[in-house]
């Protein structure tokens, strides 16, 4: 599905997808080489790109290029090229706890995405049937939980480096839209004592400069008591505290897994709900479609369909 052949306003029928992993980018200045999964439709040209950042969690493989199949597969089946790195924070790598940047590697995570954009020629060449099919002018980032924090930095959010006190600006101008899924909110007194002590980079998050258009997706039952004392509203901070244009999708009854977006039938999903996952698939696709192709009616059509349902799974606000 190319930009010229997509069905306006609707995701249309799915296209078969091709998924290749690992695509390995040598990275001598990184603890290990950068491994990717690339998932694309088998047909179509001028494919817009979504960089997908994984979260953390108790499982071994969801926090890697092997997670988030419900999102990556859907987006690719409806016209996007999805690139998923395995960040250094992934449990699959089993890096030593004294590795620089451990345990969350917040800076390296964002830098992974910049490396990907710098090396799209290599990525195209490594994936069968992909050379010449990527649209480098249309790039979005999406991330879940800690991946949302990564995405927010690329969209313009700032923080203070807890090691040297400098303001960190990792905004990536090639990224022109984003989706933040069950992402992190503000720091300070919103965090639990454990998080403040062990993940001090979260203490100083500032969304005032996050000007890139983004959709924030939050569950109204996502208390995340291990992270915040503020309850579910904490996950809406990037919408509330960032300047527009922004949209907020609040999912009714959703917890941190948003129905199961990190993998099919995974044990750590506490709110397993295929209908909710389908809504996240459709609405995130529609948002990015309209954000990357101004004038495309997909987002408005998806919002209208959500509101028209007899028992809507959520609601949308925008500013």
């Amino acid at each position: 599905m190319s930009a010229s052949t997509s069905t306006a306003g609707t995701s249309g029928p799915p296209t078969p997808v091709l998924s290749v992993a690992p695509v390995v980018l040598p990275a001598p200045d990184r603890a290990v080489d950068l491994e990717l999964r690339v998932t694309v439709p088998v047909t179509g040209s001028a494919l817009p790109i979504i960089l997908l950042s994984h979260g953390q969690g108790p499982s071994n493989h969801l926090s890697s290029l092997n997670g988030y199949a419900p999102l990556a597969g859907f987006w690719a089946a409806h016209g996007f090229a999805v690139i998923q790195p395995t960040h250094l924070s992934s449990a699959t790598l089993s890096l030593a706890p004294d590795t620089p940047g451990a345990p969350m590697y917040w800076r390296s995570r964002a830098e992974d995405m910049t490396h990907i954009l710098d090396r799209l020629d290599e990525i195209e060449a490594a994936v069968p049937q992909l050379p010449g099919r990527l649209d480098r002018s249309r790039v979005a980032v999406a991330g879940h939980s800690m991946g949302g924090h990564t995405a927010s930095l690329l969209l313009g959010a700032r923080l203070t480096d807890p090691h040297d006190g400098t303001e960190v600006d990792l905004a990536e101008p090639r990224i022109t839209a984003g989706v933040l899924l069950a992402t992190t909110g503000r720091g300070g007194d919103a965090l639990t004592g454990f998080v403040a002590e062990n993940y001090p980079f979260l203490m100083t998050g500032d969304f005032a400069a996050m000007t890139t258009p983004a959709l924030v997706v939050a569950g109204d039952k996502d208390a995340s008591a291990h992270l915040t004392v503020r309850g579910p509203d904490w996950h809406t901070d990037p919408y509330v505290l960032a300047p527009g244009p922004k949209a907020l999708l609040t999912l009714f009854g959703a917890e941190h897994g948003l129905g199961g977006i990190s993998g099919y039938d995974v044990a750590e999903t506490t709110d397993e709900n295929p209908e909710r996952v389908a809504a996240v698939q459709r609405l995130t696709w529609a948002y990015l479609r309209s954000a990357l192709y101004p004038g495309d009616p997909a987002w408005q059509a998806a919002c209208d369909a959500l509101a028209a349902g007899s028992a809507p799974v959520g609601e949308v606000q925008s500013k």
Side-chain angles (χ1 to χ4, degrees), residues 1-2 5 11-18 39-44 47 72-80 133:
M1 182 187 298
S2 70
T5 60
S11 57
T15 298
V17 302
L18 170 71
T39 307
V40 297
V42 297
T43 60
L47 302 175
F74 183 91
W75 291 336
H78 295 92
F80 284 93
R133 296 177 61 205

Side-chain angles (χ1 to χ4, degrees), residues 40 43 57 79 100 104 117 123 135 144 180 236 266 270 279 295:
V40 297
T43 60
M104 287 299 168
L117 294 178
I123 294 168
D135 184 349
H144 175 234
L180 307 179
T236 70
V266 299
T270 57

Side-chain angles (χ1 to χ4, degrees), residues 57-300:
S59 64
N60 288 316
H61 291 279
L62 297 180
S63 60
S64 76
L65 56 76
N66 291 314
Y68 297 90
L71 296 181
F74 183 91
W75 291 336
H78 295 92
F80 284 93
V82 183
I83 303 177
Q84 298 172 254
T86 295
H87 297 302
L88 292 179
S89 57
S90 174
T92 63
L93 300 179
S94 300
L95 296 180
D98 61 351
T99 303
M104 287 299 168
Y105 302 91
W106 57 267
R107 185 188 292 271
S108 171
R109 279 172 147 269
E111 290 172 344
D112 287 345
M113 302 310 205
T114 293
H115 291 322
I116 290 169
L117 294 178
D118 288 343
R119 301 171 72 175
L120 288 175
D121 289 347
E122 292 176 58
I123 294 168
E124 277 193 331
V127 178
Q129 304 179 39
L130 187 58
R133 296 177 61 205
L134 296 180
D135 184 349
R136 288 158 171 76
S137 71
R138 303 183 198 273
V139 180
V141 65
H144 175 234
S145 193
M146 183 61 196
H149 181 271
T150 301
S152 71
L153 292 177
L154 294 161
L155 296 171
R158 308 283 176 86
L159 59 78
T160 300
D161 189 320
H163 296 294
D164 61 19
T166 60
E167 184 182 56
V168 177
D169 178 5
L170 295 171
E172 173 50 73
R174 290 171 289 186
I175 294 173
T176 57
V179 173
L180 307 179
L181 300 146
T183 190
T184 57
R186 68 173 179 86
D189 61 4
L191 301 180
T192 65
F194 177 85
V195 170
E197 180 178 352
N198 291 277
Y199 308 117
F201 67 91
L202 287 174
M203 285 290 291
T204 56
D206 182 357
F207 301 103
M210 197 176 80
T211 57
T212 308
L215 169 65
V216 178
V217 182
D220 69 359
K221 302 299 182 185
D222 182 8
S224 293
H226 59 299
L227 297 173
T228 181
V229 298
R230 285 190 53 226
D233 286 348
W234 185 65
H235 297 285
T236 70
D237 282 348
Y239 172 79
V240 174
L241 301 177
K246 297 290 184 293
L248 172 65
L249 168 61
T250 302
L251 295 168
F252 303 147
E255 298 176 11
H256 201 59
L258 303 179
I261 62 170
S262 61
Y264 292 109
D265 300 324
V266 299
E268 70 183 58
T269 298
T270 57
D271 64 330
E272 184 75 25
N273 187 310
E275 180 186 13
R276 185 173 298 139
V277 173
V280 174
Q281 290 170 328
R282 292 191 306 269
L283 285 151
T284 55
W285 174 88
Y287 178 84
L288 292 176
R289 177 74 200 177
S290 294
L292 295 179
Y293 298 91
D296 189 293
W299 175 238
Q300 186 60 55

